[in-house]
Amino acid sequence: MSFLIVANWKMNRTRSSFFDFISKLNSKSNEIASRLVICPPFTSFPDDIELSNNISIGAQNCHHKKSGSYTGEISAEMLKELGCTHVILGHSERINETDSEIKLKSETAIESGLHPIICVSGNAKDYKGEKTKEAIGYQCKNRLPTHGEYTVAYEPMWAIGTGHVPSNDAIAEVIEVIKSYTGKKHVIYGGSVSSENIENLLNISSLSGVLIGSASLDFDCFYKIVQQVEKLY
């Protein structure tokens, strides 16, 4: 399987900047073997855009219902019709979501033909108390669907936006916990991924990809990470 690189733009950039980013990425696609999923705000989704075979568009959330009186929400079917193929679910910045809600969203996404990227995370208290694996196990048990294809993203809350990353051994241990629940499902890592640490992260043999936040907003910065992956993976 080729390495998976997911860009989470969060609430940043506009539709025009997304078009510019994709245009640049398309021009480099012949140099890229990795699979790339770019997740802008859903307002940036194009009506019609040319994408190279290894580039996909993802969303940052969806509702667990197919339709209904849910002001401001968006359904998996709506995203699918807009050309979306992936959706990030359960990100730790969406702190009010419960495990059961995330599981329902994941199941609905799968039924609608989307590939969920389901986040699991431990907080700073778990990390300092050496209870990360316990917290991750609980989340896997309660938020991961029992059927369908999906990817799990390990994103420690204390690492997001801080520049600090767990040791490779610590990440590898969490991946083993996740795989004990999911079997052969792919596991990626997110949390302050950058061009400075991607080479070290690639030394984790069980790692299937990365989820990149702020470092994905600038094309040159993002592409530098892609180039390092292509060189080393």
Side-chain angles (χ1 to χ4, degrees):
M1 184 201 109
S2 56
F3 202 73
L4 176 62
I5 303 175
V6 182
N8 179 15
W9 281 16
K10 307 183 182 183
M11 196 178 71
N12 293 291
R13 301 292 186 263
T14 61
R15 199 166 190 257
S16 60
S17 61
F18 174 69
F19 269 81
D20 181 61
F21 189 97
I22 291 296
S23 177
K24 291 178 180 177
L25 206 53
N26 277 331
S27 70
K28 302 284 189 181
S29 63
N30 290 336
E31 306 169 17
I32 304 171
S34 301
R35 293 180 298 133
L36 309 179
V37 180
I38 313 303
C39 304
F42 68 79
T43 53
S44 295
F45 287 179
D47 296 322
D48 184 28
I49 191 171
E50 182 180 340
L51 292 171
S52 298
N53 291 335
N54 57 338
I55 303 172
S56 300
I57 298 174
Q60 300 171 25
N61 183 47
C62 70
H63 199 272
H64 68 274
K65 292 285 190 179
K66 292 185 177 181
S67 62
S69 302
Y70 304 103
T71 302
E73 296 288 348
I74 189 166
S75 73
E77 287 186 349
M78 294 173 184
L79 295 172
K80 179 71 173 177
E81 190 175 74
L82 289 171
C84 181
T85 59
H86 294 67
V87 59
I88 299 170
L89 297 172
H91 194 282
S92 60
E93 289 172 347
R94 299 184 59 82
I95 57 175
N96 293 322
E97 294 180 342
T98 65
D99 291 330
S100 59
E101 288 172 334
I102 294 166
K103 184 175 182 177
L104 285 172
K105 288 183 178 187
S106 301
E107 291 171 344
T108 300
I110 292 170
E111 290 172 5
S112 300
L114 298 182
H115 184 100
I117 299 169
I118 307 167
C119 298
V120 295
S121 61
N123 58 35
K125 184 178 180 180
D126 295 328
Y127 183 70
K128 291 177 180 178
E130 298 184 351
K131 293 184 178 180
T132 295
K133 291 191 288 184
E134 181 181 333
I136 295 298
Y138 180 87
Q139 289 175 22
C140 286
K141 182 179 179 181
N142 291 283
R143 68 173 57 177
L144 299 183
T146 56
H147 67 279
E149 291 301 315
Y150 58 87
T151 296
V152 180
Y154 169 47
E155 268 211 322
M157 294 174 65
W158 57 268
I160 298 172
T162 66
H164 300 296
V165 176
S167 69
N168 283 6
D169 286 344
I171 295 173
E173 287 179 359
V174 170
I175 290 174
E176 288 307 308
V177 172
I178 295 170
K179 289 196 170 186
S180 71
Y181 285 89
T182 66
K184 296 181 180 180
K185 302 295 183 186
H186 301 300
V187 182
I188 65 177
Y189 170 78
S192 293
V193 176
S194 68
S195 58
E196 285 73 34
N197 58 38
I198 186 63
E199 182 175 349
N200 184 55
L201 288 170
L202 290 171
N203 289 320
I204 305 172
S205 60
S206 55
L207 188 68
S208 298
V210 288
L211 176 57
I212 308 171
S214 59
S216 70
L217 294 174
D218 178 80
F219 179 82
D220 292 335
C221 183
F222 177 73
Y223 190 63
K224 185 176 180 180
I225 295 174
V226 172
Q227 285 180 304
Q228 288 175 284
V229 171
E230 294 301 307
K231 180 180 177 181
L232 298 169
Y233 187 72

